[in-house]
Amino acid sequence: MQGGSSGIVYGGLKYQARCIADVRADAGSTTFLAGTLSLKEENEVHLIRLLPGENELVCDGLFYHPNEIWDLKSCPFDHRLFSTVYTSGEGYGASIWKIPELYGQSNSPQLEELFKLDEHMAKIRCVLWWPLGKHDKLISIDDRNIFLWNIDPSNKSAKVISQGSADMLPNLRGGAWDPHNHNAVAAITESSLHFWDLRSMKRSNAIEHAHIRDVDYNPKKQNIIATAEDELGIRLWDLRMLKHPLKDLPGHSHWTWAARHNPEYDELILSAGTDSAVNLWLAEVRTDDSRPESPSGSLNRQEEPLLHSYTDYEDSIYGIAWSSHDPSLFASLSYDGRVVLESVKPYLQRK
């Protein structure tokens, strides 16, 4: 099913943007952080909130950020903390920021930079927070290494406790932290997906010959991940059997850039890409799907219903985020800086 958008539009971003994140630690409202990517202007971080009982997105805080934002993540246990990866005069940097208490006024105070993740010598790609609850560890990934940090935001300190090298692998370019196992992380390379054990900082398994743009763990089902791939759309995998994917969800006409499992409804998945579309999938994974000897084929593809395709966009979509406060809502961010909040409630009866 295809159609335009009936969502709520936030038009406050003045510049191009790629990064949007759900503020998971804000239990009282549907809130997102979005960061801009302007080459010439001073960039901004917007704190965007849905007004209760109203169809309006408002800016709860606008904060200046000194550089182009290429990755943005909200801290899962403190709604005032977030991380960014950004360009700098020397290359790329990463920092942890704190939103001041007086946000919400027309002239928001300046962000407080708690600390930099400054041990990287290569191009930094992303920062990962432990997805569930408070954790004193942080992961950062650059082209050649995975760093595990011990962080103390109250004392504004961070220290590297271990490091894993990509060795002979192609450059790393992203990853995800397993919410079911805080010792496991998935890291994307230019042609594969590798799984690291953080205790030994050694690779444990891999999906080879795959041009993956994004990876996301199912927060409700252990061992299930989704990958967004250049030409193949979304694929679902069982970590115990990586020879073949469980499911193929081919639904984009160009590169698929992002995939996100719903935080509550484990069979709902969003995908977004450079075809200016967001797809909503109902992707049931049953135990009898887990047959390593049977590669995913045409029958598997036909079984997967595309619930809806949101196509009312004019630019590529790099950022999508479910709301943790209300899992029936998600926000998308297109490259032209347009944020749209959509509801999937009309499709929940199908689930």
Side-chain angles (χ1 to χ4, degrees), residues 235-260:
R235 285 184 148 183
L236 300 183
W237 304 81
D238 187 324
L239 297 179
R240 298 161 297 184
M241 295 170 283
L242 293 176
K243 186 177 180 180
H244 301 292
L246 295 177
K247 299 286 183 182
D248 286 342
L249 306 175
H252 290 276
S253 59
H254 204 249
W255 293 338
T256 309
W257 202 269
R260 292 290 180 273

Side-chain angles (χ1 to χ4, degrees), residues 209-212 227-237 245 247-252 254-256 281 296 301:
H209 311 298
H211 296 280
I212 293 171
T227 56
E229 306 192 26
D230 278 357
E231 299 175 356
L232 298 171
I234 301 298
R235 285 184 148 183
L236 300 183
W237 304 81
K247 299 286 183 182
D248 286 342
L249 306 175
H252 290 276
H254 204 249
W255 293 338
T256 309
W281 302 91
S296 57
R301 295 170 181 235

Side-chain angles (χ1 to χ4, degrees), residues 164-237:
S165 172
D167 296 325
M168 301 302 292
L169 294 176
N171 282 348
L172 305 177
R173 61 185 191 184
W177 204 338
D178 189 342
H180 307 284
N181 180 2
H182 65 266
N183 292 314
V185 63
I188 302 165
T189 80
E190 295 171 353
S191 59
S192 56
L193 180 68
H194 290 261
F195 301 92
W196 254 267
D197 187 325
L198 295 177
R199 293 165 295 189
S200 62
M201 274 298 180
K202 301 295 184 182
R203 299 191 301 274
S204 59
N205 214 336
I207 298 172
E208 301 285 358
H209 311 298
H211 296 280
I212 293 171
R213 296 278 178 177
D214 194 21
V215 60
D216 189 52
Y217 285 87
N218 189 320
K220 308 294 283 187
K221 286 186 176 180
Q222 194 170 358
N223 297 313
I224 303 299
I225 63 168
T227 56
E229 306 192 26
D230 278 357
E231 299 175 356
L232 298 171
I234 301 298
R235 285 184 148 183
L236 300 183
W237 304 81

Side-chain angles (χ1 to χ4, degrees), residues 22-95:
D22 168 51
V23 183
R24 183 187 182 100
D26 185 358
S29 62
T30 294
T31 315
F32 301 93
L33 283 170
T36 64
L37 190 72
S38 173
L39 186 61
K40 298 180 179 181
E41 306 295 336
E42 188 167 25
N43 284 280
E44 300 171 344
V45 174
H46 288 236
L47 183 63
I48 305 168
R49 181 171 60 89
L50 175 66
L51 286 180
E54 300 185 35
N55 292 327
E56 184 180 1
L57 291 171
V58 297
C59 181
D60 254 10
L62 189 157
F63 310 100
Y64 292 108
H65 188 280
N67 308 96
E68 303 168 65
I69 300 171
W70 288 89
D71 177 74
L72 184 153
K73 303 285 188 352
S74 179
C75 172
F77 57 82
D78 188 333
H79 68 280
R80 294 172 58 196
L81 302 183
F82 66 94
S83 61
T84 60
V85 172
Y86 48 83
T87 54
S88 66
E90 300 79 29
Y92 279 70
S95 294

